[in-house]
Amino acid sequence: MENLVRENLSINIKIIDLLNEQIKMEAKASSMYLAMASWCEQHGYDHSAKLFYDQSAEEREHMLKIFKFINDNGGMAYAPEVPKVSHEYESILDLYKTALHEEIQVSKSIQSIFLTCRKEKDVASELFLQWFVNEQLEEEQKMRHAVKIYELHGDDVENLYALDKRISRG
Amino acid sequence: MITFTLSSNKYQLNFHGKEMLLSFCELLAFRNTINAIDIDSHFYNDHSGIEIVPLCNLKEILILETTDVIELKKIIHAIFTPKEVEVLN
Ligand SMILES: [Fe+2]
Ligand SMILES: [Fe+2]
C-alpha cells in the first residue's frame, strides 16, 4: 500500500499537511496587509498604503506558489478560510510593529517546516522552501526598517508624514 | 469491519460490507475529511456520536459512528506512514 502512496506523491504527506497550514498563514497575511493598506489610506500615509497593497499581493503569490507546489506533486491543496484581521492600530508605528511581529511568526513557521523536511528526508520540499527562507529575511528587513524609522524620528507629529515618503525608498 | 485493500491502482474500501473504489485523490480527500474530525468532541454530552462524511466527490456518503472514526483514523495513518526503509527513496 505504501508503494502506491509513493507512486502518487512526490513529497511527504506530513509536509503536505504543514504546507496546507502555511497556505492559511499566507492568506491571513495577505488579508492583514490589505487591512493595513486601508488604515494607512484613511490616515493619510499614502506611501505606506502602497507598500501594503503591494505586500498583500505578494502574500497571495506566496500562497499560490505553495498551492501549486502541493497540487503539482500529487497532493491536494486546500483553499484557506481567512480569519478575521484587525483594522485598528494606535499609530503608524504600532501598525509596522504588528507587521514585523507577523513576519517573524511566518519566518518561524517556514523554518520549522524546513527542518521537518530535513527530518523526513524530503529533499524536494526542502529545496522548494529555501526560496521562502530567503524571502522571509527580506520581508522582515522591510518591516524592521520602517519600525526603526518611526522609532527614531516619529516623536514629532509633523515628521510622521515626511517619514512616510522615506518608507517607500527602502 | 473496515478494511482498505489495493486493487490495480485503486483503493478498495470495505465499510461494514459496503464496498467502494477510491482513486488516489479521492483517498487524499477522504484522509483530510477524517483527519479533520475532532474525536474529542464525540465524548461531550451533546454530541450525537455520528459523522456524515461525503466520499468520492459526493458519489457516496458514509455514516460513521465514533468507533468507525477512530478505526479509520488509525487505518489511514498507517496507509500514509512509510516504513523506515522506504522514506522517499
Ligand atoms: Fe509570505
Ligand atoms: Fe510576508
PDB file of all heavy atoms in Angstrom, chain A residues 123-139:
ATOM      1  N   VAL A 123      13.796  15.912   0.389  1.00  0.00           N
ATOM      2  CA  VAL A 123      14.760  16.855  -0.174  1.00  0.00           C
ATOM      3  C   VAL A 123      14.082  17.849  -1.122  1.00  0.00           C
ATOM      4  O   VAL A 123      14.405  19.041  -1.133  1.00  0.00           O
ATOM      5  CB  VAL A 123      15.870  16.079  -0.923  1.00  0.00           C
ATOM      6  CG1 VAL A 123      16.892  17.029  -1.517  1.00  0.00           C
ATOM      7  CG2 VAL A 123      16.548  15.108   0.029  1.00  0.00           C
ATOM      8  N   ALA A 124      13.120  17.369  -1.911  1.00  0.00           N
ATOM      9  CA  ALA A 124      12.456  18.243  -2.891  1.00  0.00           C
ATOM     10  C   ALA A 124      11.741  19.401  -2.193  1.00  0.00           C
ATOM     11  O   ALA A 124      11.850  20.556  -2.614  1.00  0.00           O
ATOM     12  CB  ALA A 124      11.468  17.434  -3.719  1.00  0.00           C
ATOM     13  N   SER A 125      11.029  19.087  -1.128  1.00  0.00           N
ATOM     14  CA  SER A 125      10.307  20.150  -0.420  1.00  0.00           C
ATOM     15  C   SER A 125      11.282  21.093   0.275  1.00  0.00           C
ATOM     16  O   SER A 125      11.042  22.296   0.376  1.00  0.00           O
ATOM     17  CB  SER A 125       9.351  19.552   0.607  1.00  0.00           C
ATOM     18  OG  SER A 125       8.404  18.738  -0.033  1.00  0.00           O
ATOM     19  N   GLU A 126      12.364  20.534   0.764  1.00  0.00           N
ATOM     20  CA  GLU A 126      13.374  21.375   1.420  1.00  0.00           C
ATOM     21  C   GLU A 126      13.922  22.402   0.428  1.00  0.00           C
ATOM     22  O   GLU A 126      14.021  23.595   0.741  1.00  0.00           O
ATOM     23  CB  GLU A 126      14.503  20.500   1.973  1.00  0.00           C
ATOM     24  CG  GLU A 126      15.527  21.302   2.754  1.00  0.00           C
ATOM     25  CD  GLU A 126      16.657  20.450   3.338  1.00  0.00           C
ATOM     26  OE1 GLU A 126      16.390  19.348   3.840  1.00  0.00           O
ATOM     27  OE2 GLU A 126      17.805  20.910   3.276  1.00  0.00           O
ATOM     28  N   LEU A 127      14.216  21.939  -0.775  1.00  0.00           N
ATOM     29  CA  LEU A 127      14.724  22.856  -1.807  1.00  0.00           C
ATOM     30  C   LEU A 127      13.680  23.903  -2.166  1.00  0.00           C
ATOM     31  O   LEU A 127      13.982  25.084  -2.328  1.00  0.00           O
ATOM     32  CB  LEU A 127      15.119  22.075  -3.062  1.00  0.00           C
ATOM     33  CG  LEU A 127      16.486  21.406  -3.015  1.00  0.00           C
ATOM     34  CD1 LEU A 127      16.709  20.561  -4.249  1.00  0.00           C
ATOM     35  CD2 LEU A 127      17.597  22.447  -2.867  1.00  0.00           C
ATOM     36  N   PHE A 128      12.450  23.468  -2.269  1.00  0.00           N
ATOM     37  CA  PHE A 128      11.348  24.397  -2.567  1.00  0.00           C
ATOM     38  C   PHE A 128      11.272  25.493  -1.505  1.00  0.00           C
ATOM     39  O   PHE A 128      11.084  26.670  -1.802  1.00  0.00           O
ATOM     40  CB  PHE A 128      10.036  23.614  -2.644  1.00  0.00           C
ATOM     41  CG  PHE A 128       8.799  24.472  -2.673  1.00  0.00           C
ATOM     42  CD1 PHE A 128       8.454  25.175  -3.822  1.00  0.00           C
ATOM     43  CD2 PHE A 128       7.987  24.576  -1.552  1.00  0.00           C
ATOM     44  CE1 PHE A 128       7.313  25.971  -3.855  1.00  0.00           C
ATOM     45  CE2 PHE A 128       6.844  25.364  -1.577  1.00  0.00           C
ATOM     46  CZ  PHE A 128       6.507  26.067  -2.724  1.00  0.00           C
ATOM     47  N   LEU A 129      11.446  25.102  -0.254  1.00  0.00           N
ATOM     48  CA  LEU A 129      11.271  26.056   0.852  1.00  0.00           C
ATOM     49  C   LEU A 129      12.447  27.013   1.008  1.00  0.00           C
ATOM     50  O   LEU A 129      12.328  28.045   1.655  1.00  0.00           O
ATOM     51  CB  LEU A 129      11.026  25.303   2.155  1.00  0.00           C
ATOM     52  CG  LEU A 129       9.582  24.815   2.323  1.00  0.00           C
ATOM     53  CD1 LEU A 129       9.477  23.889   3.521  1.00  0.00           C
ATOM     54  CD2 LEU A 129       8.613  25.982   2.489  1.00  0.00           C
ATOM     55  N   GLN A 130      13.576  26.647   0.391  1.00  0.00           N
ATOM     56  CA  GLN A 130      14.753  27.510   0.510  1.00  0.00           C
ATOM     57  C   GLN A 130      14.434  28.935   0.029  1.00  0.00           C
ATOM     58  O   GLN A 130      14.825  29.914   0.656  1.00  0.00           O
ATOM     59  CB  GLN A 130      15.884  26.927  -0.327  1.00  0.00           C
ATOM     60  CG  GLN A 130      17.220  27.078   0.332  1.00  0.00           C
ATOM     61  CD  GLN A 130      18.196  26.064  -0.227  1.00  0.00           C
ATOM     62  OE1 GLN A 130      18.456  26.072  -1.429  1.00  0.00           O
ATOM     63  NE2 GLN A 130      18.729  25.204   0.605  1.00  0.00           N
ATOM     64  N   TRP A 131      13.699  29.043  -1.048  1.00  0.00           N
ATOM     65  CA  TRP A 131      13.303  30.358  -1.575  1.00  0.00           C
ATOM     66  C   TRP A 131      12.525  31.143  -0.513  1.00  0.00           C
ATOM     67  O   TRP A 131      12.750  32.335  -0.316  1.00  0.00           O
ATOM     68  CB  TRP A 131      12.447  30.179  -2.843  1.00  0.00           C
ATOM     69  CG  TRP A 131      12.062  31.485  -3.446  1.00  0.00           C
ATOM     70  CD1 TRP A 131      12.784  32.215  -4.351  1.00  0.00           C
ATOM     71  CD2 TRP A 131      10.865  32.241  -3.164  1.00  0.00           C
ATOM     72  NE1 TRP A 131      12.103  33.376  -4.650  1.00  0.00           N
ATOM     73  CE2 TRP A 131      10.929  33.416  -3.944  1.00  0.00           C
ATOM     74  CE3 TRP A 131       9.765  32.047  -2.337  1.00  0.00           C
ATOM     75  CZ2 TRP A 131       9.928  34.392  -3.923  1.00  0.00           C
ATOM     76  CZ3 TRP A 131       8.769  33.012  -2.309  1.00  0.00           C
ATOM     77  CH2 TRP A 131       8.858  34.168  -3.107  1.00  0.00           C
ATOM     78  N   PHE A 132      11.648  30.453   0.190  1.00  0.00           N
ATOM     79  CA  PHE A 132      10.822  31.118   1.198  1.00  0.00           C
ATOM     80  C   PHE A 132      11.654  31.574   2.402  1.00  0.00           C
ATOM     81  O   PHE A 132      11.370  32.608   2.986  1.00  0.00           O
ATOM     82  CB  PHE A 132       9.696  30.190   1.671  1.00  0.00           C
ATOM     83  CG  PHE A 132       8.549  30.107   0.694  1.00  0.00           C
ATOM     84  CD1 PHE A 132       8.572  29.206  -0.350  1.00  0.00           C
ATOM     85  CD2 PHE A 132       7.459  30.949   0.817  1.00  0.00           C
ATOM     86  CE1 PHE A 132       7.528  29.138  -1.262  1.00  0.00           C
ATOM     87  CE2 PHE A 132       6.405  30.893  -0.087  1.00  0.00           C
ATOM     88  CZ  PHE A 132       6.444  29.983  -1.129  1.00  0.00           C
ATOM     89  N   VAL A 133      12.655  30.790   2.748  1.00  0.00           N
ATOM     90  CA  VAL A 133      13.521  31.174   3.867  1.00  0.00           C
ATOM     91  C   VAL A 133      14.178  32.515   3.552  1.00  0.00           C
ATOM     92  O   VAL A 133      14.170  33.441   4.365  1.00  0.00           O
ATOM     93  CB  VAL A 133      14.598  30.084   4.129  1.00  0.00           C
ATOM     94  CG1 VAL A 133      15.610  30.557   5.171  1.00  0.00           C
ATOM     95  CG2 VAL A 133      13.935  28.778   4.581  1.00  0.00           C
ATOM     96  N   ASN A 134      14.698  32.637   2.335  1.00  0.00           N
ATOM     97  CA  ASN A 134      15.343  33.888   1.936  1.00  0.00           C
ATOM     98  C   ASN A 134      14.348  35.031   1.810  1.00  0.00           C
ATOM     99  O   ASN A 134      14.610  36.154   2.228  1.00  0.00           O
ATOM    100  CB  ASN A 134      16.078  33.706   0.603  1.00  0.00           C
ATOM    101  CG  ASN A 134      17.292  32.826   0.763  1.00  0.00           C
ATOM    102  OD1 ASN A 134      17.955  32.847   1.800  1.00  0.00           O
ATOM    103  ND2 ASN A 134      17.580  32.012  -0.238  1.00  0.00           N
ATOM    104  N   GLU A 135      13.218  34.730   1.222  1.00  0.00           N
ATOM    105  CA  GLU A 135      12.169  35.737   1.048  1.00  0.00           C
ATOM    106  C   GLU A 135      11.757  36.320   2.405  1.00  0.00           C
ATOM    107  O   GLU A 135      11.560  37.521   2.550  1.00  0.00           O
ATOM    108  CB  GLU A 135      10.957  35.090   0.354  1.00  0.00           C
ATOM    109  CG  GLU A 135       9.738  35.976   0.197  1.00  0.00           C
ATOM    110  CD  GLU A 135       9.894  37.075  -0.847  1.00  0.00           C
ATOM    111  OE1 GLU A 135      10.917  37.077  -1.563  1.00  0.00           O
ATOM    112  OE2 GLU A 135       9.002  37.938  -0.923  1.00  0.00           O
ATOM    113  N   GLN A 136      11.678  35.462   3.411  1.00  0.00           N
ATOM    114  CA  GLN A 136      11.279  35.920   4.744  1.00  0.00           C
ATOM    115  C   GLN A 136      12.289  36.900   5.331  1.00  0.00           C
ATOM    116  O   GLN A 136      11.923  37.836   6.024  1.00  0.00           O
ATOM    117  CB  GLN A 136      11.072  34.733   5.690  1.00  0.00           C
ATOM    118  CG  GLN A 136       9.691  34.126   5.619  1.00  0.00           C
ATOM    119  CD  GLN A 136       8.573  35.149   5.621  1.00  0.00           C
ATOM    120  OE1 GLN A 136       7.860  35.292   4.651  1.00  0.00           O
ATOM    121  NE2 GLN A 136       8.423  35.896   6.708  1.00  0.00           N
ATOM    122  N   LEU A 137      13.576  36.652   5.037  1.00  0.00           N
ATOM    123  CA  LEU A 137      14.591  37.592   5.532  1.00  0.00           C
ATOM    124  C   LEU A 137      14.318  38.984   4.979  1.00  0.00           C
ATOM    125  O   LEU A 137      14.337  39.982   5.695  1.00  0.00           O
ATOM    126  CB  LEU A 137      15.997  37.134   5.113  1.00  0.00           C
ATOM    127  CG  LEU A 137      16.521  35.857   5.780  1.00  0.00           C
ATOM    128  CD1 LEU A 137      17.933  35.555   5.292  1.00  0.00           C
ATOM    129  CD2 LEU A 137      16.511  35.986   7.297  1.00  0.00           C
ATOM    130  N   GLU A 138      14.030  39.039   3.678  1.00  0.00           N
ATOM    131  CA  GLU A 138      13.731  40.328   3.041  1.00  0.00           C
ATOM    132  C   GLU A 138      12.506  40.990   3.650  1.00  0.00           C
ATOM    133  O   GLU A 138      12.497  42.201   3.885  1.00  0.00           O
ATOM    134  CB  GLU A 138      13.461  40.120   1.546  1.00  0.00           C
ATOM    135  CG  GLU A 138      14.702  40.197   0.687  1.00  0.00           C
ATOM    136  CD  GLU A 138      14.375  39.934  -0.783  1.00  0.00           C
ATOM    137  OE1 GLU A 138      13.305  40.379  -1.238  1.00  0.00           O
ATOM    138  OE2 GLU A 138      15.175  39.255  -1.443  1.00  0.00           O
ATOM    139  N   GLU A 139      11.467  40.189   3.870  1.00  0.00           N
ATOM    140  CA  GLU A 139      10.217  40.757   4.375  1.00  0.00           C
ATOM    141  C   GLU A 139      10.399  41.305   5.795  1.00  0.00           C
ATOM    142  O   GLU A 139       9.884  42.362   6.130  1.00  0.00           O
ATOM    143  CB  GLU A 139       9.113  39.703   4.360  1.00  0.00           C
ATOM    144  CG  GLU A 139       8.938  39.093   2.991  1.00  0.00           C
ATOM    145  CD  GLU A 139       7.523  39.192   2.464  1.00  0.00           C
ATOM    146  OE1 GLU A 139       6.606  38.817   3.195  1.00  0.00           O
ATOM    147  OE2 GLU A 139       7.359  39.637   1.331  1.00  0.00           O
TER     148      GLU A 139
END
